[in-house]
Every structure is written in C-alpha cells, then in structure tokens.
C-alpha cells in the first residue's frame, strides 16, 4: 500500500504577476490516451523504454540529456503532458509554472497513483499510462518549470523537489530530463536523502528517478549539452506564484509557493 495522505480543498492564491499575458492556475481535465491527436499514442511504447523496473535507474543513452531548469519553448505551441509511469510508494503531486511571454501556473496531476502496468500500480489508482492534460497555448520563449510534492515518511512533512538542488530540502538533484523525438521526458526521485541513507529525515533513497515519469509535448531549445551528474542522474523544478492546498484522504500536506522564480528562496511548507 502507498503512504496515506490528507485530501480535501484546493485553494489558489495568485500573488503579484509582472507579465501582461498571464493566466492564473486553473484545474485541468485528464483525458485518456485514446483521445490523443498529437500522434503520441502511436509512439507511446517507444517512450516506455525509458522506464525499467523499480530501483533501476531512469536513463536512455539514445536521447539527449537536458538541463531541466532551462526548458525553454522553441515555438508557439499547445503544450500537453502525458503520464508515462511511476515507481513510487507514495501518492505524489505534480505542479508546473511558466515565466516569460506566457505566465501561468497550476497542478498537472495530483494524488498520483497508477492503475495498472506501471513499475508500481494500485487497483484504486487514478491515472492510466498515457493519460494526458492540456496546459494550453504558450508563446515561444516561455520557460517551463515542474515540481514534485512528496510526503516524507519519517515525519509526515511535505518535501518539494525543484530545479535547483540548493532549494531542495536535502540539497540534492531530484529530476532528470531528456529530449526524445521532439518531446521532453522527465523523471522525478521522491525519496529524501543520498543513496541508501537512513536516519533523520533520510528515506533510504534508491535514486532511480522513476517515481513520477511524464512526457511533455513541447519543442525546446537549449544552448549546451548537459553532463551527467556524479550521482545517478538529476535536477528538480518549480515556481508557482501562489498555491496552498489542503486535502483529506491519504497522507497530504499544505505547501505554499510564495515566489514566482525557481531561483528565489521559497519558505519551507508546513504540515497541514
């Protein structure tokens, strides 16, 4: 069984916005892969090669490694996010935010639990492989950020894993990104601490970066290639300018995102 967390009301608190073309966070609808019109459903199996068994590192030498903090949209585009897999014993939440010509933020998937076919699945799961959401239309030059909210099993507090390791609660990388056939494949590690570490808030992490895996249908541009980190893979993301959420079902927290930049200091969330 996965870790329980609270479930209840979602409250959006937009703070100051500097861009004129700005959209506040809104709820998104989840669609089945059969309704996809981008062609992703025809190549879904190719992207599943990125995901192996639980505790196997998330990697693909045939794809181009990206800097997950520099996911810059290369052209005007309608951006969709497809759920690919999970190897998590937790029910995590995935958020996004954008800065630049189009400023927007919100939830991508929440209380993530795969129904069947994933590295870890549950009969009461709420998402299928290939399920997707439409984030909307974005202008070229928009910078995308993603973040994962995960409950730490040692104390019930929420850990928010972002682009910059220095902003992560353990100071480590927690996200890896690749470009493959004009889409971006992203994997998160949701366990606190170095590989295998225990004691304190450490959760004996396997550092496999397959706890939440998704594909973003977006053309990106990056100026340089990204070297592999010394630990198995990584980097994390977020910048949502005003979300406090509280839910009552399964073990859940109330993270507050009070800054619009992933490079600015974000106060630590408190347990709800």
């Amino acid at each position: 069984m996965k870790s329980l967390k609270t479930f209840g009301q979602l409250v959006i608190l937009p703070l100051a916005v500097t861009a004129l073309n700005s959209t506040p966070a809104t709820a998104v609808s989840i669609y089945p892969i059969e309704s996809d019109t981008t062609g992703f459903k025809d190549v879904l199996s190719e992207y599943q090669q990125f995901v192996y068994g639980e505790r196997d590192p998330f990697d693909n030498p045939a794809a181009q490694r990206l800097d997950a903090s520099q996911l810059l949209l290369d052209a005007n585009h309608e951006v969709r996010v497809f759920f690919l897999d999970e190897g998590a014993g937790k029910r995590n939440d995935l958020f996004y935010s954008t800065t630049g010509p189009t400023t927007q933020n919100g939830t991508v998937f929440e209380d993530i639990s795969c129904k069947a076919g994933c590295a870890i699945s549950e009969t009461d799961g709420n998402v299928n492989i290939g399920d997707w959401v439409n984030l909307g239309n974005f202008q070229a030059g928009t910078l995308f950020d993603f973040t994962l909210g995960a409950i730490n099993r040692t104390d019930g507090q929420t850990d928010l894993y972002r682009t910059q390791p220095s902003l992560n609660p353990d100071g480590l990388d927690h996200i890896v990104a690749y470009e493959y056939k004009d889409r971006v494949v992203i994997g998160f590690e949701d366990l606190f601490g170095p590989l295998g570490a225990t004691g304190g808030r450490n959760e004996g992490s396997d550092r496999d970066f397959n706890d939440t895996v998704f594909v973003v249908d977006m053309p990106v541009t990056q100026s340089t290639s990204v070297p592999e980190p010394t630990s198995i893979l990584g980097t994390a993301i977020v910048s949502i300018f005003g979300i406090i959420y509280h839910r009552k079902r399964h073990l859940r927290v109330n993270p507050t995102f009070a800054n619009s930049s992933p490079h600015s200091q974000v106060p630590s969330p408190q347990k709800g």
Side-chain angles (χ1 to χ4, degrees), residues 221-254:
T221 179
Q222 294 196 343
S223 59
T224 58
S225 60
V226 181
E228 296 292 340
T230 53
S231 61
I232 295 179
L233 297 171
T235 49
I237 278 187
V238 81
S239 65
I240 296 180
F241 55 67
I243 292 182
I244 300 176
Y245 67 90
H246 180 67
R247 305 178 2 177
K248 291 192 173 180
R249 193 195 83 160
H250 308 304
L251 185 67
R252 178 40 139 226
V253 288
N254 301 333

Side-chain angles (χ1 to χ4, degrees), residues 26-218:
T26 56
V28 293
S29 298
I30 300 178
Y31 301 96
I33 186 62
E34 292 78 15
S35 65
D36 171 54
T37 58
T38 67
F40 180 71
K41 64 182 177 182
D42 299 323
V43 294
L44 173 60
S45 60
E46 291 186 41
Y47 285 83
Q48 288 181 291
Q49 67 183 305
F50 281 85
V51 184
Y52 308 105
E54 172 65 355
R55 297 186 181 275
D56 289 329
F58 174 86
D59 195 3
N60 191 313
Q64 178 186 354
R65 177 73 188 280
L66 298 175
D67 180 349
S69 68
Q70 298 297 320
L71 298 179
L72 196 66
L73 191 62
D74 192 43
N76 295 346
H77 196 69
E78 181 182 74
V79 176
R80 298 184 180 188
V81 180
F82 297 85
F83 173 76
L84 189 60
D85 209 301
E86 70 155 336
K90 307 177 182 182
R91 290 186 177 233
N92 298 321
D93 297 306
L94 179 65
F95 305 101
Y96 81 99
S97 68
T98 65
T99 54
T102 308
T103 302
Q104 186 169 306
N105 71 85
T107 301
V108 183
F109 297 109
E110 60 182 354
D111 201 42
I112 299 169
S113 181
C114 181
K115 291 181 180 179
C118 292
I120 294 180
S121 304
E122 288 190 303
T123 56
D124 65 343
N126 57 13
V127 65
N128 288 303
I129 295 173
D131 281 358
W132 59 276
V133 300
N134 188 343
L135 301 185
N137 293 297
F138 297 82
Q139 296 181 40
T142 297
L143 182 66
F144 275 77
D145 287 345
F146 293 93
T147 191
L148 193 75
I151 298 294
N152 189 302
R153 293 166 173 165
T154 68
D155 57 15
Q157 297 293 317
T158 300
D159 289 329
L160 300 177
Y161 295 117
R162 307 177 171 92
T163 306
Q164 303 299 322
S166 62
L167 295 181
N168 289 335
D170 57 5
L172 300 175
D173 293 327
H174 278 265
I175 186 175
V176 62
Y178 289 92
E179 183 179 22
Y180 183 72
K181 294 191 174 181
D182 298 321
R183 298 179 179 92
V184 179
V185 187
I186 296 176
F188 270 101
E189 172 58 50
D190 70 352
L191 295 176
F192 183 102
L195 179 65
T198 58
R201 302 191 75 241
N202 292 312
E203 298 181 272
S205 178
D206 49 23
R207 304 290 288 169
D208 58 9
F209 295 85
N210 73 355
D211 296 318
T212 299
V213 185
F214 55 100
V215 177
V216 188
D217 182 11
M218 59 178 288

